[in-house]
């Protein structure tokens, strides 16, 4: 579950990349479709999914990723606005903390729900491989983006 949480948090941060049209640090803008395609190919290979598993698991996993992203959209907007403000109040920070707590709870619930769905499609071994591959993909992705 923690691996999935990590993935969600990383995905959360990707929203900021997706919204920037011109990166100040010289990196190319984030292309969601390309990212999803690379991630799906990586997961398929690392997990060792059959064609049938790809057809059922990958769309479900993409659905989970999109739902996690949507859950965090409002909180991420709040965080960006707060970052831009020169003077910040304790009340604004409290609001952001509450928002983050709510997101974590919603994402934990989503992960639990989708884990049960995944169990109907994949063996426990493949789910463990998925969790590891997902974490590894995000680590590699960010390592390469920093270059």
């Amino acid at each position: 579950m923690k691996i999935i949480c990590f993935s969600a948090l990383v995905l959360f941060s990707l929203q900021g990349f997706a919204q920037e049209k011109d990166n100040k640090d010289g990196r190319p803008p984030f292309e969601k479709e390309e990212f999803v395609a690379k991630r799906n190919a990586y997961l398929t290979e690392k997990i060792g999914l059959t064609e049938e598993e790809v057809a059922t698991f990958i769309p479900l996993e993409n659905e989970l990723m999109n739902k996690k992203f949507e859950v965090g959209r409002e909180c991420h907007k709040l965080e960006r606005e707060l970052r831009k403000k020169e003077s910040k109040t304790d009340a604004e920070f409290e609001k952001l903390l509450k928002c983050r707590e709510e997101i974590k709870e919603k994402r934990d619930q989503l992960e639990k729900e989708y884990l049960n769905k995944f169990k109907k499609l994949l063996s426990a071994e493949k789910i463990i491989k998925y969790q590891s591959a997902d974490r590894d993909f995000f680590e590699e992705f960010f390592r390469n983006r920093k270059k």
Side-chain angles (χ1 to χ4, degrees), residues 88-107:
K88 301 159 178 98
T89 66
D90 277 346
E92 290 170 320
F93 284 112
E94 285 292 331
K95 185 176 179 181
L96 181 57
L97 279 175
K98 183 176 169 71
C99 187
R100 285 180 174 180
E101 182 180 340
E102 290 170 358
I103 285 172
K104 183 174 179 351
E105 290 171 1
K106 288 176 184 176
R107 286 187 171 163

Side-chain angles (χ1 to χ4, degrees), residues 8-107:
L9 290 174
V10 172
L11 179 63
F12 218 67
S13 65
L14 294 177
Q15 180 181 8
F17 292 132
Q19 292 178 350
E20 290 185 33
K21 295 189 184 347
D22 197 20
N23 290 320
K24 296 172 187 168
D25 60 4
R27 290 182 299 184
F30 177 74
E31 298 290 338
K32 183 177 179 182
E33 294 80 20
E34 181 182 336
F35 170 83
V36 171
K38 285 181 180 179
R39 184 171 173 269
N40 290 345
Y42 185 90
L43 292 175
T44 298
E45 179 187 338
K46 294 296 181 180
I47 300 169
L49 297 175
T50 65
E51 287 183 31
E52 183 179 298
E53 290 169 334
V54 167
T56 57
F57 174 74
I58 293 295
L60 192 61
E61 203 287 324
N62 288 338
E63 182 180 300
L64 171 61
M65 184 173 63
N66 287 331
K67 284 184 178 183
K68 286 180 187 179
F69 178 79
E70 288 303 319
V71 163
R73 186 180 292 270
E74 189 61 34
C75 188
H76 212 62
K77 178 182 173 190
L78 181 64
E79 187 172 354
R80 282 191 312 275
E81 290 170 358
L82 188 59
R83 221 180 297 141
K84 290 177 184 177
K85 289 180 90 173
E86 289 202 23
S87 61
K88 301 159 178 98
T89 66
D90 277 346
E92 290 170 320
F93 284 112
E94 285 292 331
K95 185 176 179 181
L96 181 57
L97 279 175
K98 183 176 169 71
C99 187
R100 285 180 174 180
E101 182 180 340
E102 290 170 358
I103 285 172
K104 183 174 179 351
E105 290 171 1
K106 288 176 184 176
R107 286 187 171 163

